[in-house]
Amino acid sequence: MSNDTLALAQTLIARRSLTPADDACQQILIDRLEKLGFHIEKMRFGDVDNLWARHGNTTPILCFAGHTDVVPTGPLEQWDSDPFTPTIRDGRLYGRGAADMKSSLAAFITAIEAFLAQHAHHQGSIALLITSDEEGVAIDGTAKVVETLKARGELLDYCIVGEPTCSDKLGDTIKNGRRGSLSGNLTIRGIQGHIAYPHLAKNPIHLAAPVIAELAQTEWDQGNEFFPPTSWHISNINAGTGATNVIPGALNLLFNFRFSTANTVDSLTVKVHEILDKHGLDYELQWELSGKPYLTPKAELADAMHAAITQVTAMEPQLSTSGGTSDGRFIADICPQVIEFGPRNATIHKLNEYVEVDDLEQLSRIYLLTIENLLVPASETIQENPDSFINKLKKYFNFK
């Protein structure tokens, strides 16, 4: 399995799939999936290629989700090798997308191939949702596929997103949720005038100062078991004509909330407007929601992944909701249990991005065991591995 996963990862990395281009990556996956009997459905929206593939027509549905697009390389001369020529050095596979997330895609496929070779008549269904618009604006990718599936009543039971989640070693982190992202574009209007005649003008910078202080000091919530408290931060602020003797007529401020399930879009927007109105500002505020927060409880999917990771790596993974947004925020709309698990994220989006070669076999094995934990009946598990089943019983009943 390891050589096959490595070979497929190398094939995918060699494709120059700069977002939103797919550069035939999905066709490479389709060629493998068709041989397994998957029903293939290509969904192209705008300039974005998407793939929905499914094996089986019963529930539960376990979906693997990911993206073929990658971020720009940055200065080519600062790479130690061509980012689209997969290169192995010192036990590491280098190339753009090696960690984010073409190795996960390769492990998806080899794990599914190994599973179907052993369990041709498994219960439930296996699906893949692959997009080429995750690293970009994320409008015509997973979001549109989810809308399509939802409209026809095709909902999911479990979804594994192959984002790179691990910090120090493969297996140390499972992401079971993400914070939401809500941005605001605020314009505060004043009256432009000569700085020597301030009584004839109104300075929007001075008007904004106490508002900014209050917004920065506001406690939006206290977070919860899985999320830190909601944060509000300014990302950009601009005012003035460039002259030192002119009071500006307006100030523009961009800010962002990273918020947890302890809050809602409505509660945040209402509170911001209350603060702005309290200070009597003449303002305009435009909102943009990049994604709602989601949280998957510790249930069947997280337990199945945890057991697989422990069996393969002997590690005890921690549940986490850290990091930015992912396509999990869209999938959560049609799936009650969404988790993310993939390789180490130390080099994602960086120069000389890489993944440990030895991690590829383990990643594929973890995905394989997770599928088995969810889709293989207990009776079949007993017949195939009675010792393992007995050990599970001993652990459950605390026998030695």
Side-chain angles (χ1 to χ4, degrees):
M1 187 186 299
S2 59
N3 290 339
D4 201 15
T5 305
L6 172 60
L8 181 52
Q10 289 173 308
T11 299
L12 294 171
I13 293 169
R15 310 304 304 185
R16 296 176 180 269
S17 55
L18 292 168
T19 189
D22 170 70
D23 198 24
C25 285
Q26 291 177 25
Q27 189 58 51
I28 293 170
L29 305 181
I30 289 170
D31 291 343
R32 306 272 289 243
L33 294 171
E34 285 182 331
K35 295 177 181 178
L36 300 173
F38 272 77
H39 172 72
I40 304 298
E41 189 173 354
K42 297 179 182 180
M43 297 185 185
R44 184 172 176 86
F45 301 106
D47 296 327
V48 177
D49 289 307
N50 302 289
L51 168 64
W52 171 247
R54 180 169 171 173
H55 186 278
N57 52 21
T58 59
T59 58
I61 303 174
L62 168 60
C63 177
F64 289 91
H67 59 91
T68 56
D69 59 321
V70 298
V71 297
T73 62
L76 291 173
E77 66 275 10
Q78 294 185 29
W79 283 73
D80 293 335
S81 55
D82 188 312
F84 294 107
T85 301
T87 304
I88 297 177
R89 296 191 305 273
D90 302 321
R92 295 170 173 172
L93 172 62
Y94 287 86
R96 177 54 86 220
D100 189 14
M101 55 172 293
K102 292 182 174 179
S103 292
S104 293
L105 296 179
F108 286 170
I109 299 299
T110 56
I112 292 169
E113 288 173 336
F115 175 77
L116 292 178
Q118 302 173 43
H119 309 285
H121 304 291
H122 61 88
Q123 64 179 13
S125 301
I126 302 174
L128 289 99
L129 195 171
I130 311 297
T131 185
S132 65
D133 184 34
E134 196 273 345
E135 299 289 9
V137 295
I139 293 175
D140 290 325
T142 299
K144 284 285 182 66
V145 177
V146 167
E147 288 178 10
T148 302
L149 296 176
K150 186 176 182 179
R152 65 194 194 194
E154 199 165 357
L155 308 181
L156 309 177
D157 295 285
Y158 314 115
C159 184
I160 299 170
V161 185
E163 289 291 343
T165 59
C166 299
S167 299
D168 299 317
K169 293 183 179 180
L170 179 70
D172 63 17
T173 306
I174 297 172
K175 298 249 174 115
N176 65 323
R178 295 275 189 159
R179 292 178 296 173
S181 177
L182 176 66
S183 297
N185 185 339
L186 173 65
T187 298
I188 297 175
R189 288 184 283 265
I191 299 175
Q192 181 173 319
H194 197 294
I195 210 163
Y197 303 95
H199 60 289
L200 300 177
K202 185 181 290 186
N203 195 321
I205 301 174
H206 294 184
L207 296 173
V211 177
I212 293 173
E214 183 169 350
L215 289 168
Q217 294 168 7
T218 296
E219 181 183 88
W220 306 96
D221 57 55
Q222 296 182 344
N224 55 36
E225 178 185 1
F226 290 101
F227 289 100
T230 292
S231 64
W232 178 89
H233 281 280
I234 296 172
S235 58
N236 192 282
I237 188 168
N238 180 265
T241 63
T244 60
N245 61 350
V246 178
I247 293 173
L251 174 144
N252 181 252
L253 184 148
L254 303 178
F255 63 83
N256 179 266
F257 281 106
R258 291 303 166 104
F259 65 106
S260 73
T261 52
N263 233 311
T264 66
V265 173
D266 288 342
S267 63
L268 294 174
T269 56
V270 166
K271 183 65 175 178
V272 170
H273 282 283
E274 285 179 352
I275 293 173
L276 294 171
D277 293 338
K278 182 177 69 173
H279 288 268
L281 298 180
D282 178 11
Y283 70 91
E284 179 181 349
L285 177 53
Q286 297 176 333
W287 294 98
E288 181 180 354
L289 177 65
S290 299
K292 296 179 181 179
Y294 75 90
L295 178 66
T296 293
K298 193 175 184 300
E300 296 92 344
L301 179 56
D303 288 346
M305 177 66 75
H306 185 283
I309 292 171
T310 301
Q311 184 171 341
V312 173
T313 68
M315 296 190 66
E316 287 289 334
Q318 301 299 308
L319 294 177
S320 171
T321 61
S322 64
T325 60
S326 78
D327 276 358
R329 68 191 191 273
F330 304 124
I331 299 169
D333 193 39
I334 61 169
C335 184
Q337 296 188 45
V338 179
I339 64 170
E340 302 174 26
F341 181 76
R344 292 181 61 214
N345 56 25
T347 63
I348 60 175
H349 295 202
K350 292 184 177 181
L351 302 171
N352 295 312
E353 179 182 353
Y354 71 84
V355 66
E356 300 287 347
V357 172
D358 288 345
D359 287 351
L360 296 175
E361 176 181 7
Q362 294 191 80
L363 183 60
S364 182
R365 180 69 178 164
I366 289 168
Y367 289 150
L368 168 60
L369 291 178
T370 302
I371 304 172
E372 289 183 339
N373 289 340
L374 292 168
L375 300 187
V376 175
S379 58
E380 188 175 340
T381 302
I382 296 171
Q383 293 171 1
E384 292 190 355
N385 195 350
D387 292 337
S388 175
F389 179 75
I390 291 171
N391 288 335
K392 289 180 180 179
L393 284 179
K394 288 180 177 179
K395 183 177 180 181
Y396 183 82
F397 290 105
N398 200 26
F399 289 159
K400 295 183 179 179

